[in-house]
Amino acid sequence: MSKSIIITGAGRGIGKATADAFLDAGWTVGLVGRKPASLEEAAAGRANAHPLPCDVTSESEVAEAFGKAHQAWGRLDAIFNNAGVSLASATVDETDVDAWRNVIDINLTGSFICAKVAFGLMRAQDPQGGRIINNGSVSAYVPRWGSAAYTASKHAITGLTRSISLDGRPFSIACGQIDIGNALTDMAAKMTTGMPQADGAIKVEPVMDVKNVASSVLHMASLPLDANVQFMTVMATNMPYIGRG
């Protein structure tokens, strides 16, 4: 029987590329997102792809979608907590509080809800266990200019990852984090035209193929449960990360 994974934010970008990698590797893949049409398009022609439309900020919707998949597959081996949003660059005093709350709700609370539901399923299944992989971003370590909401959410993901890792030990549930820098997706296309730098300049930044992210997540998920990649950074080699600012 093939292994199974649920990927959030699977309709586009990093989520879709990662779903494609797992599908090509023969995994059963649940595609989570808020837009059913995007999920259907991502799953087209793939018998092992299963759209699971839901809002990651709704515990009831996540529980229903994950529960349906678990019942159909008999087991959930992994989840990739990838769904997230960002804001246009702005200093902290110019950041709208409601926009801040939306970023925290999706990036952090959404990841917590999905991890909570997946953890419960993995703890109860037989044999017990599974793997939770969180998308942290290099912003989990260093900020970009004008990114208070996004950076705060990703720093918090690191704390969530560490806590889940500790909570999961008695139940064979491993948790790791992938921190991604400048993977070329539609969302990151602006990096090829110019991004604000810490010194106020606008500069084009190097990018990498998003397939490098997908293959990295596949590697993390394919390890036996007695081994874990706790933190992995995969980034465009020459991006302004080491020494950022």
Side-chain angles (χ1 to χ4, degrees):
M1 184 176 180
S2 66
K3 286 190 173 183
S4 60
I5 186 170
I6 289 175
I7 298 174
T8 69
R12 64 192 180 105
I14 289 171
K16 184 179 184 303
T18 304
D20 286 340
F22 276 83
L23 290 165
D24 288 344
W27 285 58
T28 297
V29 180
L31 309 172
V32 167
R34 287 181 292 183
K35 298 179 179 179
S38 296
L39 301 179
E40 292 290 347
E41 183 178 348
R46 303 273 204 164
N48 52 334
H50 305 273
L52 299 171
C54 70
D55 182 345
V56 297
T57 67
S58 168
E59 184 177 2
S60 61
E61 289 188 27
V62 170
E64 181 180 1
F66 284 26
K68 183 188 303 181
H70 189 267
Q71 185 174 21
W73 306 338
R75 181 170 185 81
L76 177 60
D77 292 297
I79 174 177
F80 179 34
N81 253 331
N82 168 71
V85 296
S86 62
L87 296 177
S89 299
T91 54
V92 66
D93 61 311
E94 295 175 337
T95 299
D96 179 77
V97 174
D98 287 338
W100 160 283
R101 287 193 174 109
N102 185 61
V103 170
I104 297 299
D105 202 26
I106 295 172
N107 294 8
L108 178 57
T109 306
S111 293
F112 162 73
I113 289 171
C114 290
K116 168 185 167 67
V117 173
F119 192 108
L121 293 171
M122 292 170 178
R123 180 176 180 175
Q125 64 193 6
D126 185 21
Q128 195 175 58
R131 189 179 305 274
I132 297 168
I133 301 172
N134 294 323
N135 181 344
S137 165
V138 294
S139 290
Y141 300 92
V142 289
R144 284 188 177 278
W145 173 85
S147 65
Y150 185 79
T151 298
S153 75
K154 293 304 185 178
H155 272 61
I157 287 293
T158 299
L160 181 65
T161 297
R162 293 181 186 276
S163 292
I164 295 170
S165 295
L166 190 57
D167 290 352
R169 285 181 181 177
F171 313 110
S172 296
I173 298 172
C175 183
Q177 180 171 311
I178 184 164
D179 299 312
I180 302 159
N182 289 15
L184 185 55
T185 63
D186 290 343
M187 185 183 297
K190 58 189 176 183
M191 294 176 185
T192 64
T193 59
M195 291 290 292
Q197 305 298 309
D199 62 1
I202 303 294
K203 295 181 180 179
V204 171
E205 295 188 5
V207 295
M208 65 174 176
D209 193 322
V210 70
K211 290 181 180 179
N212 294 309
V213 178
S215 62
S216 298
V217 178
L218 179 60
H219 168 69
M220 294 172 74
S222 299
L223 291 172
L225 288 177
D226 61 355
N228 187 40
V229 174
Q230 186 65 67
F231 294 98
M232 175 190 287
T233 301
V234 57
M235 52 178 263
T237 302
N238 294 329
M239 71 169 286
Y241 165 59
I242 301 299
R244 184 187 281 185

